Amino acid sequence: GRRIGEILVGEGLVDEHELAQALAEQFDIELADLRLVEPDREAIGRVTEELARKHQVLPLRVEEDDRVSLVTGEPLGLDAI
């Protein structure tokens, strides 16, 4: 089976951005538009290339509490990080 979001986009009922916005709201996560935001060099330096490739993430920024915010196309699959 296909995910409901894939079906909705495929049928033209929503576009990919609308779907991403809805999922971000549902799961209480930030939606980052990489066309508008440039990843921070410090954040990139804190995540190894191996880890980034393995989990298909891009380090975005270092938060005030020293956590690194990551960008991913599959935010529900990041429990291991």
Side-chain angles (χ1 to χ4, degrees), residues 7-43:
I7 295 168
L8 293 171
V9 170
E11 294 294 322
L13 299 172
V14 298
D15 64 31
E16 289 185 6
H17 185 72
E18 291 170 322
L19 175 62
Q21 286 178 312
L23 291 172
E25 185 176 321
Q26 179 181 357
F27 293 107
D28 194 29
I29 56 176
E30 182 181 349
L31 179 62
D33 186 341
L34 294 179
R35 297 172 297 182
L36 305 174
V37 179
E38 185 172 331
D40 178 65
R41 290 200 175 277
E42 181 181 355

Side-chain angles (χ1 to χ4, degrees), residues 40-52 57-70 81:
D40 178 65
R41 290 200 175 277
E42 181 181 355
I44 291 171
R46 291 190 183 194
V47 177
T48 66
E49 181 179 348
E50 178 184 1
L51 182 90
V57 297
L58 174 67
L60 184 60
R61 68 176 167 267
V62 178
E63 302 293 343
E64 288 183 17
D65 62 3
D66 216 34
R67 292 179 302 139
V68 176
S69 287
L70 304 171
I81 295 182

